[in-house]
Amino acid sequence: MNLKIVRWVDLYAGVPLEYLVRAFTRPFSKSLTPHRKQYNKILIMKFWGVGNIIMLLPAVSSLRKRYPGARIDILTLTNNREVCEAACLFSRIFTINIKDLGAFIASLLKGAVRLRKENYDLIIDFEQFARFSALLSRFIGKKERIGFNTKNQHRHVLFTKSVCYDNSIHVTGSFFSLIVAVTDPASVVPEPVALAISSHCEDEVQALLQKSGISKEHLRIVLHIGTSENFNLRRWPLQHFARLADTLIDRYNARVIFTGLPAEKRLVHACIGLTQQEAKTLDLSGKLSFARFVALVKSCDLVVCADTAPVHVASSLSVPVAGLYGPNTPRLYGPWAKNGIYFYQNLPCSPCITNYNAKINRCSHPQGAGACMNKISPEEVFLAIQKTFFDENSAHCIEKIKKCANLSI
């Protein structure tokens, strides 16, 4: 399904539907008292974005600590199943398939009817702007429902309790505010949740790297090229990635591993073709499952990518990460572990996609589409990476850099 069309439909059909459903169901709604002492059956709802799923895990972890005996399920999209499984926090994972319209309607109807029968004590909707999830929570939930009251989105009319969305704090903090609204704030503390992967999966990735001539002694750097189909103006130019790769290889004798989704393989191929050090690069685009990608990140020394899920995979594992931002703001979606840095030009027109405009916008910069990303130079990125992670005064990777410099070319 075309994500842009889905968002337009959600925006223009969703708002009137929300008020229609509210008007029709209000006379039949029971008066509910929020803040129960105990919830036994909880449903988490989050659909869009693997990165968003990773960022809500600290909140869900705190919820599980507060209600250790509760069954906590999640309803999400089919392509988020692997990340939900790696979190090891959910009792059951329910999914909706958006491969095409027929699959979407069939899985939605089947899932909604089934989940309504579960009679959840509490539904927590983590979507920031989508009306679809608010409507679905109202159909499924007969008891308490909580979600964001986001400016101009009108979602709050279908919840029994809403929390004002704060566009000035990181999304991990926003997600946690929903948990605080239904728990004792003093009893829960947000902590990073490392994604779990099997030792077998790690061994497979190590074997793949070894077969490609990349040993554990090499400095391993992941450059993730794409940003999926969701507003591709978030991409950093291929020539910038290529220049950064060459500089890292020349300076540190690093091995650069390019990654991307299957649909982004052509981008990776084109980028590697622009490098001067192709022999010291590896193309793994479209070749890794989510679990194997996590294993790769875990085994590497640095991840560089634009505003997309690998930023948050690296953050969850406390792997050094450099995030590149333009249409979106790192204030909300930047690296959130101690080993993270970001690059952002903060142009007058940035950010142009927000949770207030449902992330539907067009680039209006006078220098042309993607100007905010073009202005982040590879030299700027390299110098910051060098100073933060690989400088002699930095503890990270110093011994490995010394060993890597002595490896045969």
Side-chain angles (χ1 to χ4, degrees), residues 65 68 127 151 181 197 213 265 352 401:
K65 290 177 182 178
E127 289 294 337
K151 179 182 175 183
I197 49 175
K265 191 169 182 62
C352 62
I401 289 171

Side-chain angles (χ1 to χ4, degrees), residues 197-389:
I197 49 175
S198 68
S199 57
H200 175 69
C201 191
E202 292 187 76
D203 291 341
E204 285 185 335
V205 169
Q206 291 297 337
L208 176 61
L209 296 177
Q210 291 283 351
K211 184 179 179 180
S212 302
I214 302 177
S215 69
K216 292 183 178 181
E217 286 72 31
H218 281 115
L219 192 68
R220 301 172 175 180
I221 299 174
V222 169
L223 299 189
H224 188 82
I225 297 295
T227 56
S228 72
E229 64 176 338
N230 184 11
F231 204 79
N232 59 23
L233 290 181
R234 293 178 297 155
R235 291 175 184 162
W236 203 36
L238 298 184
Q239 62 269 26
H240 287 8
F241 270 116
R243 285 166 61 188
L244 177 62
D246 285 335
T247 305
L248 290 167
I249 293 170
D250 289 340
R251 179 66 177 83
Y252 298 115
N253 193 26
R255 295 299 182 266
V256 174
I257 304 160
F258 287 91
T259 60
L261 298 175
E264 296 163 345
K265 191 169 182 62
R266 61 178 180 81
L267 296 174
V268 173
H269 180 75
C271 186
I272 292 177
L274 294 172
T275 66
Q276 303 299 315
Q277 300 275 8
E278 184 173 343
K280 296 182 181 180
T281 67
L282 175 62
D283 177 5
L284 291 183
S285 58
K287 299 178 181 178
L288 301 174
S289 65
F290 179 78
R292 287 169 179 76
F293 178 76
V294 174
L296 173 67
V297 171
K298 186 177 179 180
S299 73
C300 288
D301 302 294
L302 174 67
V303 174
V304 182
C305 67
D307 167 33
T308 192
V311 169
H312 309 297
V313 171
S315 292
S316 72
L317 298 170
S318 295
V319 170
V321 57
L324 309 161
Y325 293 80
N328 224 340
T329 169
R331 182 181 63 196
L332 271 65
Y333 293 98
W336 39 280
K338 61 181 179 180
N339 289 331
I341 59 174
Y342 63 81
F343 301 87
Y344 182 58
Q345 293 295 312
N346 198 25
L347 301 182
C349 56
S350 295
C352 62
I353 52 173
T354 73
N355 289 318
Y356 291 152
N357 64 17
K359 296 191 176 179
I360 300 174
N361 207 353
R362 295 179 179 176
C363 180
S364 60
H365 195 279
Q367 294 183 14
C372 54
M373 297 301 291
N374 291 334
K375 287 179 178 293
I376 302 173
S377 72
E379 292 77 17
E380 171 192 359
V381 174
F382 172 75
L383 289 174
I385 288 172
Q386 181 183 50
K387 181 179 179 180
T388 306
F389 303 122

Side-chain angles (χ1 to χ4, degrees), residues 6 35-36 42 51 54 59 81 104 132 212 238 322 328 355 379:
V6 169
H35 299 289
R36 294 180 176 218
I42 302 172
I54 297 172
R81 175 175 285 279
F104 169 70
F132 163 75
S212 302
L238 298 184
N328 224 340
N355 289 318
E379 292 77 17

